[in-house]
Amino acid sequence: MNIPDPVETFRQEARELLDQLEAGLLDLEQDPSNADLVNSTFRALHTIKGSGAMFGFVAVAEFVHEFETTFDRIRKGQSRADTALIRVALDAKDHIHLLIESPHAEIGAGEKILASLHAIMEGSAPAEAAATPEPPASGAERKWRLEFYLPPDALLHGTNPLLLLEELAQIGPVSVTALTGRIPALDVLDPEIPHIGWRVDIEADDPAAAIDDVFLFLRDTMELTLAPLEDSVSIPHEPPAEPAESPRSARPSTPRRPDNDRSDTVERTAATSLRVPAERLDELMDRVGELVIAQARLSQIAGLSSDGALKTVAEELERLSSGLRDTTMGIRMVPIGTLFNRFRRLVHDLAGELGKPMEFITSGEDTELDKTMIERLADPLVHLIRNAVDHGLESADKRLAKGKPAKGKVQLSAVYSGAEVAISISDDGAGLDAARIRAKAEENGLITPDTKLTDQELYQLIFAPGFSTAGTVTSLSGRGVGMDVVKRTIDGLRGTIDLATVPGVGTTATLRLPLTLAIIDGMLVRVGNGRYTIPLAAVEECVELPEGIDAQGSGRNFLDIRGTLVPYLRLREVFDTGTPAEPHQKVVIVSSGEGRVGLVVDQIIGNNQTVTKQLSKLHSNLKSFSGATILGDGTVALILDTAHLVASGQAYVDRNIGGRAA
């Protein structure tokens, strides 16, 4: 049994907290007066500090403590989160990440960051805050009574009640009393559950915020009340799980559940989320794929048998494997917002580096993609966003001269589009210069002066290796590397890239990607002696090839589908089967994005679950196929790349608008 490394677990959780911290800082820059953002950012720092100290990351705890102390002034309204402060705070977040990933890293940079942070905070302190008199001495402070019971799993998670009491003692003079009324009989006592409660009388002006910090990790599941000691009505401390058994509680008393019931509730809550290594999900997906293949084999055998019991078992197994497939796929699906959030910092830093004020907008963060797709999309999107900022957006002066707002706009969005997800990167910059692209392509020998290209074909040239229209080489662009990598990566994901531009208005790059690469529903068809699978999500409808059309006809033609001309491809000719045409051919209408094409096949065999197997490198140049699958009889069927076939049909439309209708 593999026991998780607690230090690595801390690192994983710290990465998530640092992502939250970065997002909070970037949001705070846009809305400095948002108290919720200030508090959530402070809580992230407090959690990192506490966890770091617990797991031996002393340098992390000490650095974050200074960062947290300085940032606490924003919470108290003594300083303002301006752009300069956010920039240094982001550097501090990067340094925390470095200390966590490399505990022996040089700490000198951290001291400089904290010095800059202190200087900015001191310089931004409001005059009225500086003139505010100090709180009255302890003689004028009030006395408060705090009563609390820790959650049943607190000891198991490493919580030490004595350390909590020591932190409370730092708020002001305290008097501590143990509450032993809940200790059960010895024969039923569970030593792992904290049965003892605590009554703490504190002398302080208003300790609520400080108590919040002490119980930051526990307050959602513990019992806690806070009341002025001289009053008869208690003030429930946010957010008590249940009223404590105190005569001063103003909340209606309710029967307290037994401790074992509370423990069960906490365990169920903790079990709602589970961290699983990605490798285990990949292995699970492989096993499900093999199960689907075995189930297809059993279904085929059952179909040839007259044994009713065998047919029943085959149908039940098909139902179960289909459900298991859907569940496993659901586990692998990840909201694309987890990827989008990474680019906010990128755009923020690029704006400062290039001196271009800009607004970064995201939408469709809830759109889900397979985790493998998410991982492989990061680099292509980085290149496209950098390209939009560097090449697309003009400087503030040029934008104002053109009547545009000084602040540019970059938008990243994702939407479902049939069997695909469309991810768009848009800017409101100058747009693509077709003449300049063509001149550069001719200079590089990619095309000749007399080559005729559509606008889309011309724009696609920017994805050629070494292609760049930049006049000078900078740290961001000019070497012609990056866009060809984008193209190769998207092709490897069986996706496409479309470019649309309006001179002076902006450019939009749209990536169209399949929802998953693992298991899909497919339609099995026969063309000649070969069998092929068409992704079922791309299929719109199936029709008969109309009589009167020469089955031996060559080339591409059009069908009239309810008043709309749809080009169709004879797969017999595309695949060069060499077999005679059969009567009563079928046309499968498939779509990709806004395009549609009909695929002429000899027979539609039926639907099946298709386990995608990647083609070898020797077959990577077969653009009509996106992979292969193993059928129930053990033979192989190639999976058609509908996006490529639709693009082929659309290219024919662009060149032959006058084609004849059938």
Side-chain angles (χ1 to χ4, degrees):
M1 178 179 179
N2 294 328
I3 301 177
D5 181 2
V7 174
E8 184 58 32
T9 300
F10 163 71
R11 284 196 172 102
Q12 292 176 356
E13 294 177 350
R15 292 180 194 120
E16 296 175 0
L17 287 168
L18 288 173
D19 288 342
Q20 295 174 16
L21 177 61
E22 182 176 278
L25 290 172
L26 293 171
D27 288 337
L28 199 57
E29 184 177 23
Q30 303 298 322
D31 189 5
S33 61
N34 191 317
D36 290 338
L37 289 176
V38 173
N39 290 330
S40 65
T41 302
F42 185 83
R43 282 196 296 270
L45 287 170
H46 194 79
T47 304
I48 293 171
K49 182 184 77 171
S51 299
M54 184 184 302
F55 288 97
F57 287 79
V58 178
V60 172
E62 292 177 350
F63 179 82
V64 175
H65 176 71
E66 293 295 322
F67 187 8
E68 176 190 43
T69 302
T70 306
F71 205 85
D72 186 45
R73 296 186 57 183
I74 299 177
R75 269 205 322 170
K76 298 176 180 177
Q78 298 172 354
S79 295
R80 181 178 174 82
D82 57 14
T83 301
L85 171 65
I86 295 299
R87 185 175 293 115
V88 178
L90 288 170
D91 291 339
K93 171 261 172 186
D94 292 340
H95 187 68
I96 297 171
H97 176 77
L98 177 63
L99 291 176
I100 291 174
E101 300 298 333
S102 304
H104 304 294
E106 176 61 42
I107 62 174
E111 296 175 354
K112 294 179 181 178
I113 291 172
L114 290 177
S116 299
L117 197 60
H118 286 306
I120 292 174
M121 297 287 280
E122 292 296 334
S124 64
E128 61 272 19
T132 301
E134 292 294 324
S138 60
E141 292 175 343
R142 304 172 63 186
K143 291 187 177 182
W144 298 77
R145 172 157 292 177
L146 167 69
E147 294 187 359
F148 68 90
Y149 285 86
L150 297 177
D153 60 348
L155 299 180
L156 294 175
H157 291 164
T159 300
N160 187 336
L162 298 181
L163 296 180
L164 296 176
L165 294 173
E166 289 180 7
E167 289 192 52
L168 291 173
Q170 296 176 10
I171 300 175
V174 299
S175 172
V176 180
T177 304
L179 304 177
T180 59
R182 296 189 183 181
I183 299 178
L186 185 61
D187 57 342
V188 294
L189 185 145
D190 185 345
E192 294 183 339
I193 295 178
H195 300 289
I196 298 177
W198 302 92
R199 176 183 296 134
V200 183
D201 294 339
I202 306 176
E203 293 184 21
D205 183 46
D206 185 0
I211 291 173
D212 263 345
D213 293 342
V214 172
F215 295 103
L216 186 65
F217 303 106
L218 304 164
R219 59 185 183 179
D220 289 336
T221 54
M222 69 182 296
E223 296 180 34
L224 187 152
T225 57
L226 178 66
L229 192 58
E230 66 272 23
D231 294 346
S232 60
V233 178
S234 73
I235 302 174
H237 189 61
E238 179 70 23
E242 296 180 10
E245 294 183 353
S246 167
R248 299 183 182 272
S249 175
R251 298 177 61 183
S253 62
T254 56
R256 184 174 59 85
R257 295 173 298 182
D259 283 339
N260 61 338
D261 289 346
R262 286 179 50 80
S263 179
D264 291 344
T265 301
V266 172
E267 289 177 3
R268 286 195 298 271
T269 302
T272 57
S273 179
L274 181 66
R275 190 187 301 275
V276 179
E279 295 78 9
R280 294 190 180 182
L281 290 181
D282 294 336
E283 184 178 354
L284 176 62
M285 194 72 251
D286 291 340
R287 296 290 184 269
V288 172
E290 297 302 321
L291 176 62
V292 168
I293 293 173
Q295 173 267 316
R297 176 62 176 161
L298 177 62
S299 296
Q300 186 170 22
I301 294 173
L304 300 175
S305 171
S306 58
D307 188 337
L310 179 60
K311 293 179 182 291
T312 300
V313 171
E315 291 173 357
E316 180 67 10
L317 181 60
E318 181 176 2
R319 183 184 66 82
L320 292 174
S321 65
S322 178
L324 180 60
R325 179 204 65 172
D326 293 341
T327 301
T328 306
M329 291 303 305
I331 295 173
R332 291 171 56 97
M333 301 302 279
V334 179
I336 204 168
T338 59
L339 179 62
F340 282 8
N341 289 336
R342 303 182 194 177
F343 305 125
R344 298 181 62 201
R345 177 72 181 278
L346 171 67
V347 173
H348 176 274
D349 292 348
L350 286 176
E353 182 176 350
L354 296 173
K356 294 181 178 180
M358 66 188 72
E359 181 181 8
F360 183 57
I361 303 171
T362 61
S363 61
E365 291 91 339
D366 294 336
T367 307
E368 293 186 334
L369 266 178
D370 188 287
K371 73 171 189 66
T372 304
M373 308 279 281
I374 294 286
E375 293 167 357
R376 296 175 63 180
L377 273 177
D379 286 344
L381 288 179
V382 166
H383 285 300
L384 290 171
I385 291 173
R386 289 169 66 102
N387 215 49
V389 173
D390 190 22
H391 292 296
L393 296 181
E394 311 97 329
S395 64
D397 294 340
K398 290 182 179 180
R399 291 180 63 86
L400 290 172
K402 294 179 179 180
K404 294 182 176 182
K407 180 180 288 188
K409 183 184 297 183
V410 175
Q411 184 165 356
L412 182 61
S413 62
V415 295
Y416 291 112
S417 178
E420 303 169 324
V421 168
I423 303 173
S424 298
I425 304 95
S426 304
D427 65 73
D428 64 345
L432 297 177
D433 188 336
R436 191 174 180 183
I437 293 174
R438 186 176 186 94
K440 194 68 176 181
E442 292 178 3
E443 178 184 334
N444 291 355
L446 297 175
I447 59 174
T448 60
D450 58 347
T451 302
K452 294 183 179 180
L453 297 174
T454 64
D455 287 345
Q456 188 60 226
E457 290 171 335
L458 181 64
Y459 298 149
Q460 290 292 323
L461 293 177
I462 69 174
F463 296 108
F467 187 91
S468 176
T469 58
T472 58
V473 175
T474 69
S475 61
L476 293 178
S477 61
R479 300 187 184 276
V481 296
M483 298 304 283
D484 60 319
V485 175
V486 171
K487 178 67 173 174
R488 287 200 302 271
T489 302
I490 300 304
D491 287 346
L493 294 173
R494 304 204 317 267
T496 60
I497 307 177
D498 298 328
L499 293 173
T501 187
V502 178
V505 177
T507 303
T508 299
T510 302
L511 313 182
R512 300 190 182 277
L513 300 158
L515 289 174
T516 180
L517 300 176
I519 300 178
I520 60 174
D521 286 320
M523 173 182 286
L524 189 63
V525 300
R526 182 177 60 80
V527 179
N529 296 326
R531 287 181 289 179
Y532 305 89
T533 294
I534 304 173
L536 192 60
V539 176
E540 290 191 352
E541 59 182 307
C542 301
V543 298
E544 291 273 356
L545 187 65
E547 296 182 3
I549 293 182
D550 182 9
Q552 296 288 351
S554 60
R556 301 176 179 88
N557 297 282
F558 291 87
L559 286 175
D560 186 351
I561 304 296
R562 289 179 294 281
T564 301
L565 291 181
V566 178
Y568 66 88
L569 309 177
R570 301 177 187 272
L571 294 186
R572 170 183 305 283
E573 298 170 2
V574 175
F575 301 152
D576 193 18
T577 62
T579 57
E582 298 184 10
H584 311 298
Q585 296 184 79
K586 308 296 187 294
V587 183
V588 182
I589 308 297
V590 297
S591 62
S592 176
E594 301 298 325
R596 292 198 303 168
V597 70
L599 305 177
V600 180
V601 302
D602 292 327
Q603 180 187 4
I604 297 175
I605 300 175
N607 300 339
N608 63 350
Q609 294 184 51
T610 300
V611 180
T612 303
K613 303 290 185 180
Q614 296 298 313
L615 296 176
S616 70
K617 293 183 179 180
L618 295 176
H619 302 90
S620 60
N621 61 336
L622 300 177
K623 302 298 184 182
S624 297
F625 308 109
S626 59
T629 186
I630 301 174
L631 301 178
D633 59 1
T635 60
V636 174
L638 294 172
I639 302 172
L640 300 186
D641 188 337
T642 54
H644 174 77
L645 294 172
V646 169
S648 298
Q650 191 61 45
Y652 177 70
V653 172
D654 294 339
R655 293 187 174 90
N656 301 274
I657 298 300
R660 66 182 186 277

